[in-house]
Amino acid sequence: MRSLQHLAILLLQLFLLQGVVNFGPRLAAAYSGASATLFSVVPPGFVCPEGLFAFGGSVVDTGNSLTAMPFASRVENLPYGVNFFKRPARRYSDGRVIVDYLAQAFKFPLLTPYLRSIDPDFSRGANFGYAGATIIRKTATYTRFFFGVQQNQLLRLKQNSLQVRSQAPALAGFTVTRGLPRNETFSRGLYIIKFGLKNDLSELVNSGALSFENATREYVPEIVSEIISGIQNLYENAGARMFMVFNPTLVGCLPSTLTAFAQRNVSFAEDEFGCVAEWNDLQNAYNCQLDAAIKNLRPTLPNATIFLADSFSVQKKVFSNPESFGFKKEFLLKTCCGYGGEYNYDEDRKCADKYEEDGITTRVGACESPNDYVSWDGIHDTEALSRIYAQYALTGKFLDPPVDLSTLCDLDLSKFSDSTFAEAYPNATLLD
Ligand SMILES: *[C@@H]1O[C@H](CO)[C@@H](O)[C@H](O)[C@H]1NC(C)=O
Ligand SMILES: *[C@@H]1O[C@H](CO)[C@@H](O)[C@H](O)[C@H]1NC(C)=O
Ligand SMILES: *[C@@H]1O[C@H](CO)[C@@H](O)[C@H](O)[C@H]1NC(C)=O
Ligand SMILES: *[C@@H]1O[C@H](CO)[C@@H](O)[C@H](O)[C@H]1NC(C)=O
Ligand SMILES: *[C@@H]1O[C@H](CO)[C@@H](O)[C@H](O)[C@H]1NC(C)=O
Protein backbone atom coordinates (compact mmCIF):
# COMPACT_ATOMS: atom_id res chain seq x y z
CA MET A 1 0.00 0.00 0.00
CA ARG A 2 2.78 2.42 0.97
CA SER A 3 4.70 1.77 -2.21
CA LEU A 4 1.51 2.32 -4.19
CA GLN A 5 1.11 5.68 -2.54
CA HIS A 6 4.69 6.60 -3.31
CA LEU A 7 4.20 5.61 -6.90
CA ALA A 8 1.08 7.75 -7.05
CA ILE A 9 2.85 10.76 -5.56
CA LEU A 10 5.61 10.34 -8.09
CA LEU A 11 3.08 10.16 -10.90
CA LEU A 12 1.31 13.24 -9.58
CA GLN A 13 4.54 15.21 -9.48
CA LEU A 14 5.35 14.06 -12.97
CA PHE A 15 1.94 15.16 -14.23
CA LEU A 16 2.19 18.51 -12.50
CA LEU A 17 5.65 19.09 -13.95
CA GLN A 18 4.41 18.34 -17.41
CA GLY A 19 1.40 20.55 -16.86
CA VAL A 20 -0.89 17.73 -17.90
CA VAL A 21 -2.87 17.78 -14.70
CA ASN A 22 -3.67 21.15 -13.34
CA PHE A 23 -5.79 20.54 -10.27
CA GLY A 24 -3.86 23.03 -8.17
CA PRO A 25 -3.78 22.88 -4.41
CA ARG A 26 -7.22 21.29 -4.09
CA LEU A 27 -6.18 18.01 -5.55
CA ALA A 28 -2.92 18.10 -3.70
CA ALA A 29 -4.89 18.51 -0.49
CA ALA A 30 -7.42 15.91 -1.51
CA TYR A 31 -4.70 13.61 -2.59
CA SER A 32 -3.29 12.73 0.79
CA GLY A 33 -6.07 10.24 1.47
CA ALA A 34 -6.89 9.31 -2.10
CA SER A 35 -5.90 6.26 -4.01
CA ALA A 36 -3.99 5.88 -7.23
CA THR A 37 -7.19 5.12 -9.15
CA LEU A 38 -7.97 8.84 -9.18
CA PHE A 39 -5.50 9.39 -11.97
CA SER A 40 -6.81 6.72 -14.22
CA VAL A 41 -10.43 7.86 -13.83
CA VAL A 42 -10.23 11.63 -13.90
CA PRO A 43 -9.08 12.64 -17.34
CA PRO A 44 -6.77 15.53 -18.10
CA GLY A 45 -8.70 18.73 -18.34
CA PHE A 46 -11.00 17.85 -15.42
CA VAL A 47 -12.02 20.94 -13.48
CA CYS A 48 -14.44 21.14 -10.58
CA PRO A 49 -17.89 22.08 -11.86
CA GLU A 50 -18.68 25.78 -11.92
CA GLY A 51 -22.36 25.24 -12.64
CA LEU A 52 -25.09 22.61 -12.71
CA PHE A 53 -27.45 21.68 -15.53
CA ALA A 54 -30.13 19.21 -14.57
CA PHE A 55 -32.39 16.99 -16.68
CA GLY A 56 -35.10 14.66 -15.46
CA GLY A 57 -38.57 14.29 -14.04
CA SER A 58 -40.30 15.36 -10.86
CA VAL A 59 -37.52 14.28 -8.49
CA VAL A 60 -35.35 16.91 -10.19
CA ASP A 61 -37.97 19.58 -10.97
CA THR A 62 -37.52 22.73 -8.87
CA GLY A 63 -40.41 24.59 -10.43
CA ASN A 64 -40.71 24.09 -14.19
CA SER A 65 -44.00 22.25 -14.25
CA LEU A 66 -45.73 24.38 -11.62
CA THR A 67 -44.50 27.51 -13.40
CA ALA A 68 -45.75 26.29 -16.76
CA MET A 69 -49.16 25.30 -15.36
CA PRO A 70 -50.06 27.65 -12.51
CA PHE A 71 -52.95 26.92 -10.13
CA ALA A 72 -53.51 23.55 -11.73
CA SER A 73 -51.95 21.13 -9.30
CA ARG A 74 -52.57 19.92 -5.78
CA VAL A 75 -48.79 20.07 -5.38
CA GLU A 76 -49.06 23.86 -5.05
CA ASN A 77 -50.55 23.31 -1.61
CA LEU A 78 -49.30 22.35 1.80
CA PRO A 79 -48.27 19.87 3.07
CA TYR A 80 -45.88 19.93 0.08
CA GLY A 81 -42.68 21.55 1.31
CA VAL A 82 -43.75 21.42 4.94
CA ASN A 83 -40.65 19.64 6.20
CA PHE A 84 -38.08 22.14 4.98
CA PHE A 85 -39.29 25.20 3.09
CA LYS A 86 -42.44 25.44 5.24
CA ARG A 87 -44.30 26.17 2.00
CA PRO A 88 -44.85 24.19 -1.21
CA ALA A 89 -41.89 25.78 -3.06
CA ARG A 90 -42.98 24.26 -6.41
CA ARG A 91 -41.39 20.94 -5.60
CA TYR A 92 -42.77 17.39 -5.55
CA SER A 93 -41.47 16.69 -2.08
CA ASP A 94 -41.79 17.52 1.58
CA GLY A 95 -38.63 19.59 1.14
CA ARG A 96 -35.51 19.51 -0.95
CA VAL A 97 -35.05 17.47 -4.10
CA ILE A 98 -31.68 16.09 -5.11
CA VAL A 99 -30.50 19.12 -7.09
CA ASP A 100 -31.19 21.35 -4.09
CA TYR A 101 -28.64 19.29 -2.15
CA LEU A 102 -26.15 19.38 -5.01
CA ALA A 103 -26.46 23.16 -5.40
CA GLN A 104 -26.02 23.57 -1.65
CA ALA A 105 -22.91 21.37 -1.59
CA PHE A 106 -21.31 23.41 -4.40
CA LYS A 107 -22.36 26.64 -2.64
CA PHE A 108 -24.37 27.68 -5.69
CA PRO A 109 -27.76 29.41 -5.57
CA LEU A 110 -30.84 27.18 -5.70
CA LEU A 111 -30.97 25.84 -9.23
CA THR A 112 -33.32 28.03 -11.25
CA PRO A 113 -35.93 26.27 -13.38
CA TYR A 114 -35.46 27.14 -17.03
CA LEU A 115 -39.08 28.26 -17.39
CA ARG A 116 -38.92 30.76 -14.54
CA SER A 117 -39.66 34.20 -15.98
CA ILE A 118 -39.50 36.30 -12.81
CA ASP A 119 -35.99 37.20 -11.65
CA PRO A 120 -34.21 34.09 -12.92
CA ASP A 121 -30.59 33.41 -11.95
CA PHE A 122 -28.82 31.11 -14.40
CA SER A 123 -25.34 32.22 -13.37
CA ARG A 124 -24.62 28.76 -11.99
CA GLY A 125 -26.65 26.75 -14.44
CA ALA A 126 -30.26 25.84 -15.00
CA ASN A 127 -32.77 23.13 -14.29
CA PHE A 128 -34.70 21.51 -17.13
CA GLY A 129 -36.32 18.81 -14.99
CA TYR A 130 -40.07 18.62 -15.50
CA ALA A 131 -42.52 16.52 -13.53
CA GLY A 132 -43.76 13.57 -15.54
CA ALA A 133 -41.02 13.92 -18.15
CA THR A 134 -40.05 10.76 -19.99
CA ILE A 135 -36.76 9.76 -21.54
CA ILE A 136 -38.18 8.72 -24.90
CA ARG A 137 -40.63 10.65 -27.03
CA LYS A 138 -43.12 7.92 -27.70
CA THR A 139 -44.10 7.47 -24.05
CA ALA A 140 -44.45 11.23 -23.48
CA THR A 141 -48.15 11.53 -22.72
CA TYR A 142 -48.36 13.50 -19.49
CA THR A 143 -45.97 16.22 -20.67
CA ARG A 144 -44.11 16.95 -23.88
CA PHE A 145 -40.97 18.01 -22.01
CA PHE A 146 -39.16 14.71 -22.57
CA PHE A 147 -35.35 14.43 -22.46
CA GLY A 148 -34.80 15.53 -26.06
CA VAL A 149 -36.81 18.71 -25.52
CA GLN A 150 -34.89 19.43 -22.31
CA GLN A 151 -31.65 19.14 -24.27
CA ASN A 152 -32.95 21.60 -26.84
CA GLN A 153 -33.84 24.02 -24.07
CA LEU A 154 -30.24 23.82 -22.83
CA LEU A 155 -28.94 24.47 -26.35
CA ARG A 156 -31.23 27.46 -26.66
CA LEU A 157 -30.08 28.80 -23.30
CA LYS A 158 -26.48 28.52 -24.45
CA GLN A 159 -27.21 30.08 -27.83
CA ASN A 160 -29.01 33.04 -26.28
CA SER A 161 -26.50 33.55 -23.46
CA LEU A 162 -23.62 33.73 -25.90
CA GLN A 163 -25.69 35.97 -28.15
CA VAL A 164 -26.41 38.42 -25.33
CA ARG A 165 -22.78 38.36 -24.25
CA SER A 166 -21.58 39.13 -27.77
CA GLN A 167 -24.08 41.96 -28.22
CA ALA A 168 -23.84 43.55 -24.78
CA PRO A 169 -21.93 46.81 -24.99
CA ALA A 170 -18.90 46.59 -22.75
CA LEU A 171 -20.22 49.00 -20.15
CA ALA A 172 -23.86 47.98 -20.08
CA GLY A 173 -22.78 44.37 -20.12
CA PHE A 174 -23.02 43.89 -16.42
CA THR A 175 -26.76 44.46 -16.14
CA VAL A 176 -27.65 42.78 -19.40
CA THR A 177 -25.71 39.62 -18.66
CA ARG A 178 -26.46 39.43 -14.97
CA GLY A 179 -28.12 36.12 -14.27
CA LEU A 180 -26.64 34.43 -17.34
CA PRO A 181 -24.00 31.70 -17.22
CA ARG A 182 -20.49 32.62 -18.31
CA ASN A 183 -19.61 31.16 -21.72
CA GLU A 184 -17.24 28.72 -20.04
CA THR A 185 -19.85 27.45 -17.61
CA PHE A 186 -21.36 25.31 -20.35
CA SER A 187 -18.14 23.35 -20.76
CA ARG A 188 -17.29 23.43 -17.07
CA GLY A 189 -20.70 22.52 -15.72
CA LEU A 190 -21.89 19.24 -14.30
CA TYR A 191 -24.69 17.79 -16.42
CA ILE A 192 -27.01 15.86 -14.12
CA ILE A 193 -29.30 13.31 -15.73
CA LYS A 194 -31.81 11.76 -13.35
CA PHE A 195 -34.84 10.11 -14.84
CA GLY A 196 -36.81 7.25 -13.36
CA LEU A 197 -38.24 4.54 -15.55
CA LYS A 198 -41.55 5.30 -13.92
CA ASN A 199 -42.70 8.02 -16.30
CA ASP A 200 -41.75 6.01 -19.35
CA LEU A 201 -43.15 2.67 -18.35
CA SER A 202 -45.21 2.41 -15.19
CA GLU A 203 -48.57 3.33 -16.63
CA LEU A 204 -48.23 0.74 -19.38
CA VAL A 205 -46.76 -1.95 -17.15
CA ASN A 206 -48.74 -1.42 -13.95
CA SER A 207 -52.03 -1.52 -15.85
CA GLY A 208 -51.07 -4.77 -17.56
CA ALA A 209 -51.24 -3.21 -21.04
CA LEU A 210 -47.55 -4.04 -21.49
CA SER A 211 -45.94 -7.14 -20.04
CA PHE A 212 -42.64 -6.90 -18.19
CA GLU A 213 -41.14 -9.21 -20.78
CA ASN A 214 -42.24 -7.03 -23.66
CA ALA A 215 -41.18 -3.85 -21.88
CA THR A 216 -37.71 -5.29 -21.36
CA ARG A 217 -37.44 -6.39 -24.95
CA GLU A 218 -39.13 -3.49 -26.74
CA TYR A 219 -38.45 -0.46 -24.58
CA VAL A 220 -35.34 -0.92 -22.46
CA PRO A 221 -32.76 -0.83 -25.29
CA GLU A 222 -34.46 2.20 -26.81
CA ILE A 223 -34.48 4.08 -23.50
CA VAL A 224 -30.81 3.30 -22.84
CA SER A 225 -29.87 4.45 -26.30
CA GLU A 226 -31.77 7.71 -25.78
CA ILE A 227 -29.69 8.43 -22.66
CA ILE A 228 -26.51 7.75 -24.60
CA SER A 229 -27.45 9.92 -27.56
CA GLY A 230 -28.44 12.66 -25.12
CA ILE A 231 -24.94 12.63 -23.64
CA GLN A 232 -23.42 12.67 -27.14
CA ASN A 233 -25.62 15.58 -28.14
CA LEU A 234 -24.73 17.62 -25.06
CA TYR A 235 -21.05 16.81 -25.53
CA GLU A 236 -20.97 17.81 -29.18
CA ASN A 237 -23.39 20.70 -29.27
CA ALA A 238 -23.23 22.22 -25.80
CA GLY A 239 -19.57 21.47 -25.11
CA ALA A 240 -20.52 19.49 -21.99
CA ARG A 241 -17.61 17.58 -20.48
CA MET A 242 -18.86 16.29 -17.18
CA PHE A 243 -21.94 14.18 -16.64
CA MET A 244 -23.57 12.48 -13.71
CA VAL A 245 -26.16 9.91 -14.75
CA PHE A 246 -28.33 8.48 -11.97
CA ASN A 247 -29.94 5.13 -12.64
CA PRO A 248 -33.63 4.78 -11.74
CA THR A 249 -34.67 3.96 -8.19
CA LEU A 250 -36.99 1.05 -7.31
CA VAL A 251 -40.27 1.56 -9.17
CA GLY A 252 -41.67 -1.70 -7.76
CA CYS A 253 -41.44 -0.35 -4.20
CA LEU A 254 -43.48 2.80 -4.78
CA PRO A 255 -46.77 2.79 -2.86
CA SER A 256 -48.44 3.91 -6.11
CA THR A 257 -47.09 0.85 -7.97
CA LEU A 258 -47.99 -1.55 -5.17
CA THR A 259 -51.48 -0.08 -4.94
CA ALA A 260 -51.98 -0.37 -8.70
CA PHE A 261 -51.10 -4.08 -8.57
CA ALA A 262 -53.27 -4.69 -5.52
CA GLN A 263 -56.25 -3.03 -7.20
CA ARG A 264 -55.91 -5.14 -10.33
CA ASN A 265 -56.13 -8.18 -8.07
CA VAL A 266 -53.19 -9.76 -9.85
CA SER A 267 -50.81 -11.67 -7.67
CA PHE A 268 -47.21 -10.67 -8.04
CA ALA A 269 -43.96 -12.13 -6.81
CA GLU A 270 -42.52 -10.04 -4.00
CA ASP A 271 -38.87 -9.32 -3.53
CA GLU A 272 -37.25 -9.43 -0.10
CA PHE A 273 -38.79 -6.04 0.75
CA GLY A 274 -42.33 -6.80 -0.41
CA CYS A 275 -41.91 -4.84 -3.66
CA VAL A 276 -42.97 -6.02 -7.11
CA ALA A 277 -40.10 -8.34 -8.02
CA GLU A 278 -40.61 -8.16 -11.77
CA TRP A 279 -39.92 -4.45 -11.68
CA ASN A 280 -36.51 -5.25 -10.19
CA ASP A 281 -35.82 -7.74 -12.98
CA LEU A 282 -36.71 -5.14 -15.58
CA GLN A 283 -34.53 -2.57 -13.84
CA ASN A 284 -31.63 -4.97 -13.50
CA ALA A 285 -31.76 -5.51 -17.24
CA TYR A 286 -31.90 -1.76 -17.76
CA ASN A 287 -29.00 -1.08 -15.38
CA CYS A 288 -26.86 -3.73 -17.02
CA GLN A 289 -27.42 -2.25 -20.47
CA LEU A 290 -26.93 1.32 -19.27
CA ASP A 291 -23.69 0.40 -17.52
CA ALA A 292 -22.34 -1.35 -20.62
CA ALA A 293 -23.42 1.48 -22.92
CA ILE A 294 -21.68 4.09 -20.79
CA LYS A 295 -18.53 1.99 -20.66
CA ASN A 296 -18.59 1.86 -24.45
CA LEU A 297 -19.29 5.55 -24.72
CA ARG A 298 -16.45 6.81 -22.53
CA PRO A 299 -13.55 6.11 -24.91
CA THR A 300 -15.40 7.86 -27.72
CA LEU A 301 -15.71 11.19 -25.90
CA PRO A 302 -12.24 12.62 -25.26
CA ASN A 303 -11.82 14.64 -22.07
CA ALA A 304 -15.28 13.84 -20.83
CA THR A 305 -15.98 12.44 -17.39
CA ILE A 306 -19.17 10.40 -17.20
CA PHE A 307 -20.18 9.42 -13.70
CA LEU A 308 -22.78 6.71 -13.26
CA ALA A 309 -24.50 7.00 -9.89
CA ASP A 310 -26.08 3.74 -8.82
CA SER A 311 -29.12 5.04 -6.91
CA PHE A 312 -30.79 1.67 -7.41
CA SER A 313 -28.20 -0.02 -5.20
CA VAL A 314 -28.17 2.85 -2.73
CA GLN A 315 -31.91 2.45 -2.25
CA LYS A 316 -31.53 -1.31 -1.77
CA LYS A 317 -28.95 -0.61 0.89
CA VAL A 318 -31.36 1.75 2.61
CA PHE A 319 -34.16 -0.83 2.43
CA SER A 320 -31.89 -3.56 3.82
CA ASN A 321 -31.03 -1.54 6.87
CA PRO A 322 -33.52 1.33 7.16
CA GLU A 323 -32.94 2.11 10.82
CA SER A 324 -29.28 2.88 10.25
CA PHE A 325 -30.35 5.59 7.80
CA GLY A 326 -32.94 6.99 10.21
CA PHE A 327 -36.01 5.42 8.55
CA LYS A 328 -38.63 3.20 10.17
CA LYS A 329 -38.77 -0.29 8.70
CA GLU A 330 -42.56 -0.51 9.05
CA PHE A 331 -42.96 2.60 6.86
CA LEU A 332 -40.76 1.56 3.92
CA LEU A 333 -43.73 0.76 1.69
CA LYS A 334 -46.06 3.37 3.11
CA THR A 335 -46.75 6.91 2.01
CA CYS A 336 -46.17 9.72 4.48
CA CYS A 337 -48.77 11.99 2.92
CA GLY A 338 -51.66 9.79 1.90
CA TYR A 339 -55.13 8.56 2.73
CA GLY A 340 -55.43 5.00 3.93
CA GLY A 341 -55.09 1.55 2.43
CA GLU A 342 -52.35 -1.01 2.87
CA TYR A 343 -49.73 1.44 1.54
CA ASN A 344 -51.43 4.59 2.80
CA TYR A 345 -51.99 5.53 -0.83
CA ASP A 346 -55.26 6.20 -2.58
CA GLU A 347 -55.33 7.22 -6.23
CA ASP A 348 -58.51 9.23 -5.61
CA ARG A 349 -57.22 10.96 -2.50
CA LYS A 350 -53.63 11.84 -3.07
CA CYS A 351 -51.45 14.06 -0.94
CA ALA A 352 -52.94 17.58 -0.67
CA ASP A 353 -56.12 16.56 -2.52
CA LYS A 354 -59.26 18.20 -1.14
CA TYR A 355 -61.94 15.98 0.31
CA GLU A 356 -64.97 16.31 2.51
CA GLU A 357 -65.39 14.67 5.87
CA ASP A 358 -68.20 15.31 8.35
CA GLY A 359 -69.26 18.28 6.26
CA ILE A 360 -65.84 19.87 6.46
CA THR A 361 -63.57 20.28 3.44
CA THR A 362 -59.99 19.46 4.17
CA ARG A 363 -56.84 18.23 2.40
CA VAL A 364 -55.01 14.93 2.61
CA GLY A 365 -52.26 15.64 5.12
CA ALA A 366 -48.84 14.40 6.08
CA CYS A 367 -47.61 11.96 8.67
CA GLU A 368 -46.08 13.31 11.84
CA SER A 369 -42.42 12.63 10.99
CA PRO A 370 -41.69 12.66 7.26
CA ASN A 371 -38.05 11.83 8.02
CA ASP A 372 -39.17 8.33 9.12
CA TYR A 373 -40.41 7.66 5.58
CA VAL A 374 -38.76 7.14 2.19
CA SER A 375 -41.92 7.89 0.21
CA TRP A 376 -43.46 11.31 0.57
CA ASP A 377 -46.66 11.01 -1.45
CA GLY A 378 -46.53 7.48 -2.86
CA ILE A 379 -44.75 8.61 -6.03
CA HIS A 380 -41.98 10.97 -4.91
CA ASP A 381 -39.14 10.61 -2.43
CA THR A 382 -38.97 12.38 0.90
CA GLU A 383 -36.21 14.92 1.29
CA ALA A 384 -34.60 12.48 3.73
CA LEU A 385 -34.18 9.87 0.99
CA SER A 386 -33.08 12.41 -1.64
CA ARG A 387 -30.40 13.56 0.78
CA ILE A 388 -28.91 10.06 0.85
CA TYR A 389 -28.70 9.86 -2.95
CA ALA A 390 -26.92 13.21 -2.97
CA GLN A 391 -24.52 12.24 -0.19
CA TYR A 392 -23.56 8.98 -1.87
CA ALA A 393 -23.03 10.54 -5.28
CA LEU A 394 -20.97 13.44 -3.98
CA THR A 395 -18.71 11.27 -1.86
CA GLY A 396 -18.01 8.76 -4.63
CA LYS A 397 -19.96 5.87 -3.10
CA PHE A 398 -21.87 3.66 -5.55
CA LEU A 399 -20.42 5.99 -8.14
CA ASP A 400 -18.46 4.91 -11.22
CA PRO A 401 -15.74 6.14 -11.40
CA PRO A 402 -15.59 6.39 -7.59
CA VAL A 403 -14.34 9.96 -7.36
CA ASP A 404 -15.03 11.75 -4.10
CA LEU A 405 -16.06 15.17 -5.40
CA SER A 406 -16.73 16.38 -1.86
CA THR A 407 -13.01 16.24 -1.10
CA LEU A 408 -11.69 16.99 -4.56
CA CYS A 409 -13.88 20.07 -4.99
CA ASP A 410 -14.12 21.15 -1.36
CA LEU A 411 -17.89 20.74 -1.13
CA ASP A 412 -20.00 21.64 1.88
CA LEU A 413 -22.37 18.89 2.99
CA SER A 414 -22.67 20.25 6.51
CA LYS A 415 -26.11 21.80 6.05
CA PHE A 416 -27.75 18.72 4.56
CA SER A 417 -29.50 17.97 7.85
CA ASP A 418 -30.48 19.87 10.96
CA SER A 419 -30.51 23.28 9.35
CA THR A 420 -33.29 25.66 8.46
CA PHE A 421 -33.95 27.03 5.00
CA ALA A 422 -32.45 30.40 5.96
CA GLU A 423 -29.29 28.73 7.26
CA ALA A 424 -28.87 26.43 4.30
CA TYR A 425 -29.58 29.01 1.57
CA PRO A 426 -28.82 32.44 3.08
CA ASN A 427 -29.71 34.59 0.07
CA ALA A 428 -32.41 32.57 -1.61
CA THR A 429 -35.86 33.82 -2.49
CA LEU A 430 -38.70 31.42 -3.16
CA LEU A 431 -41.67 32.31 -5.29
CA ASP A 432 -45.18 31.00 -4.69
C1 LIG B 1 -8.52 17.45 -24.31
O1 LIG B 1 -7.82 18.25 -23.37
C2 LIG B 1 -6.53 18.61 -23.79
C3 LIG B 1 -5.84 19.31 -22.64
O2 LIG B 1 -6.68 20.27 -22.07
C4 LIG B 1 -6.64 19.48 -25.04
O3 LIG B 1 -5.38 19.83 -25.51
C5 LIG B 1 -7.38 18.68 -26.13
O4 LIG B 1 -7.59 19.53 -27.24
C6 LIG B 1 -8.73 18.20 -25.62
N1 LIG B 1 -9.35 17.33 -26.61
C7 LIG B 1 -10.62 17.49 -27.00
C8 LIG B 1 -11.10 16.56 -28.05
O5 LIG B 1 -11.37 18.33 -26.51
C1 LIG C 1 -18.94 34.65 -25.29
O1 LIG C 1 -19.27 34.13 -26.58
C2 LIG C 1 -19.67 35.14 -27.49
C3 LIG C 1 -20.14 34.45 -28.76
O2 LIG C 1 -19.18 33.56 -29.25
C4 LIG C 1 -18.50 36.10 -27.75
O3 LIG C 1 -18.88 37.10 -28.64
C5 LIG C 1 -18.10 36.71 -26.41
O4 LIG C 1 -16.97 37.54 -26.59
C6 LIG C 1 -17.80 35.64 -25.39
N1 LIG C 1 -17.58 36.28 -24.12
C7 LIG C 1 -16.52 36.01 -23.38
C8 LIG C 1 -16.40 36.76 -22.10
O5 LIG C 1 -15.66 35.19 -23.73
C1 LIG D 1 -46.18 -8.98 -25.96
O1 LIG D 1 -45.61 -9.10 -27.22
C2 LIG D 1 -46.20 -10.13 -28.03
C3 LIG D 1 -45.37 -10.29 -29.31
O2 LIG D 1 -45.18 -9.05 -29.91
C4 LIG D 1 -47.66 -9.73 -28.30
O3 LIG D 1 -48.27 -10.75 -29.06
C5 LIG D 1 -48.39 -9.59 -26.96
O4 LIG D 1 -49.69 -9.11 -27.18
C6 LIG D 1 -47.65 -8.60 -26.05
N1 LIG D 1 -48.33 -8.61 -24.76
C7 LIG D 1 -48.22 -7.64 -23.83
C8 LIG D 1 -49.12 -7.73 -22.66
O5 LIG D 1 -47.44 -6.72 -23.92
C1 LIG E 1 -60.60 -6.56 -7.14
O1 LIG E 1 -61.23 -7.21 -6.07
C2 LIG E 1 -62.12 -6.39 -5.32
C3 LIG E 1 -62.60 -7.18 -4.11
O2 LIG E 1 -62.80 -8.52 -4.45
C4 LIG E 1 -63.25 -5.92 -6.23
O3 LIG E 1 -64.11 -5.07 -5.52
C5 LIG E 1 -62.64 -5.16 -7.40
O4 LIG E 1 -63.64 -4.77 -8.33
C6 LIG E 1 -61.59 -5.98 -8.13
N1 LIG E 1 -60.90 -5.15 -9.09
C7 LIG E 1 -60.70 -5.53 -10.36
C8 LIG E 1 -59.97 -4.52 -11.23
O5 LIG E 1 -61.01 -6.61 -10.78
C1 LIG F 1 -25.18 36.26 0.61
O1 LIG F 1 -25.09 37.66 0.33
C2 LIG F 1 -24.06 38.32 1.03
C3 LIG F 1 -24.19 39.81 0.77
O2 LIG F 1 -24.35 40.07 -0.61
C4 LIG F 1 -22.72 37.75 0.57
O3 LIG F 1 -21.68 38.37 1.28
C5 LIG F 1 -22.69 36.25 0.87
O4 LIG F 1 -21.52 35.68 0.34
C6 LIG F 1 -23.89 35.55 0.22
N1 LIG F 1 -23.92 34.17 0.64
C7 LIG F 1 -24.16 33.16 -0.19
C8 LIG F 1 -24.12 31.78 0.39
O5 LIG F 1 -24.44 33.33 -1.36
Side-chain angles (χ1 to χ4, degrees):
M1 195 59 215
R2 276 220 79 81
S3 63
L4 247 184
Q5 287 188 358
H6 282 135
L7 179 68
I9 288 169
L10 214 70
L11 278 174
L12 176 66
Q13 286 170 344
L14 208 70
F15 282 150
L16 287 175
L17 274 175
Q18 293 185 339
V20 176
V21 177
N22 190 15
F23 291 118
R26 270 184 186 161
L27 181 67
Y31 170 69
S32 47
S35 76
T37 55
L38 202 55
F39 304 107
S40 51
V41 296
V42 180
F46 176 91
V47 284
C48 286
E50 63 173 55
L52 304 173
F53 298 99
F55 306 85
S58 49
V59 296
V60 169
D61 192 346
T62 55
N64 280 317
S65 74
L66 298 178
T67 304
M69 304 288 285
F71 309 117
S73 171
R74 64 195 165 80
V75 174
E76 283 205 12
N77 302 284
L78 282 170
Y80 280 86
V82 73
N83 191 21
F84 184 73
F85 299 105
K86 311 296 177 199
R87 58 203 282 195
R90 299 192 191 176
R91 283 159 174 79
Y92 291 75
S93 168
D94 58 321
R96 287 162 285 186
V97 295
I98 188 158
V99 293
D100 294 320
Y101 288 108
L102 298 184
Q104 195 180 313
F106 282 95
K107 305 177 203 87
F108 296 157
L110 284 168
L111 202 55
T112 303
Y114 177 67
L115 298 183
R116 176 163 163 172
S117 51
I118 312 288
D119 195 24
D121 178 4
F122 300 121
S123 59
R124 292 297 194 161
N127 190 354
F128 306 91
Y130 196 105
T134 55
I135 301 168
I136 57 176
R137 174 200 289 262
K138 81 174 176 214
T139 49
T141 48
Y142 175 76
T143 160
R144 300 303 295 170
F145 291 100
F146 53 90
F147 187 29
V149 172
Q150 295 184 14
Q151 292 162 45
N152 283 338
Q153 292 177 331
L154 176 283
L155 294 174
R156 178 50 57 80
L157 176 68
K158 180 174 181 186
Q159 181 189 47
N160 288 166
S161 297
L162 266 58
Q163 204 171 15
V164 169
R165 284 195 184 279
S166 72
Q167 289 169 2
L171 283 175
F174 177 72
T175 33
V176 181
T177 57
R178 187 166 48 100
L180 293 181
R182 301 190 318 128
N183 290 3
E184 296 77 12
T185 303
F186 291 97
S187 55
R188 294 185 192 160
L190 177 64
Y191 288 68
I192 298 153
I193 302 170
K194 190 180 195 310
F195 285 90
L197 280 174
K198 184 189 174 299
N199 294 339
D200 283 88
L201 290 178
S202 73
E203 215 151 283
L204 289 169
V205 166
N206 291 351
S207 67
L210 178 68
S211 67
F212 281 100
E213 207 184 330
N214 289 7
T216 307
R217 195 182 62 241
E218 294 167 14
Y219 284 81
V220 165
E222 186 179 342
I223 294 173
V224 168
S225 110
E226 195 62 29
I227 296 279
I228 298 301
S229 56
I231 297 173
Q232 287 167 326
N233 179 33
L234 293 168
Y235 178 93
E236 276 157 30
N237 298 311
R241 289 295 178 267
M242 198 189 314
F243 301 87
M244 189 175 277
V245 183
F246 289 83
N247 68 10
T249 52
L250 297 154
V251 182
C253 299
L254 291 172
S256 57
T257 298
L258 289 159
T259 303
F261 273 84
Q263 281 173 353
R264 271 169 58 208
N265 299 336
V266 289
S267 61
F268 59 88
E270 293 182 6
D271 71 2
E272 69 263 46
F273 311 120
C275 312
V276 181
E278 279 183 291
W279 260 112
N280 296 359
D281 299 340
L282 186 159
Q283 293 190 249
N284 280 324
Y286 177 85
N287 290 343
C288 239
Q289 291 180 35
L290 180 67
D291 191 62
I294 285 181
K295 283 196 166 75
N296 289 335
L297 179 65
R298 285 190 183 114
T300 70
L301 303 181
N303 295 356
T305 308
I306 308 173
F307 293 112
L308 180 54
D310 187 2
S311 309
F312 184 82
S313 297
V314 173
Q315 189 180 354
K316 281 188 141 180
K317 198 176 159 75
V318 169
F319 272 54
S320 304
N321 200 351
E323 317 285 342
S324 76
F325 290 90
F327 299 110
K328 293 245 160 49
K329 193 176 167 74
E330 64 268 31
F331 296 153
L332 283 180
L333 302 181
K334 285 193 197 297
T335 296
C336 165
C337 183
Y339 189 93
E342 189 177 351
Y343 307 103
N344 194 34
Y345 180 84
D346 183 340
E347 198 57 45
D348 300 323
R349 283 184 188 182
K350 289 189 193 160
C351 182
D353 268 343
K354 268 188 187 163
Y355 68 99
E356 205 159 305
E357 202 162 75
D358 305 330
I360 299 166
T361 304
T362 179
R363 287 187 186 274
V364 175
C367 61
E368 219 164 88
S369 309
N371 293 339
D372 292 345
Y373 289 74
V374 294
S375 181
W376 162 241
D377 60 2
I379 303 166
H380 307 103
D381 302 333
T382 53
E383 77 149 27
L385 183 60
S386 297
R387 169 163 50 229
I388 292 167
Y389 297 136
Q391 275 166 343
Y392 270 70
L394 293 175
T395 53
K397 295 189 200 111
F398 289 91
L399 187 72
D400 173 34
V403 175
D404 180 350
L405 288 174
S406 73
T407 316
L408 189 61
C409 299
D410 191 21
L411 306 185
D412 180 8
L413 278 60
S414 68
K415 300 204 179 73
F416 275 20
S417 10
D418 303 323
S419 58
T420 64
F421 173 56
E423 287 161 358
Y425 305 94
N427 299 335
T429 54
L430 282 179
L431 300 179
D432 282 326

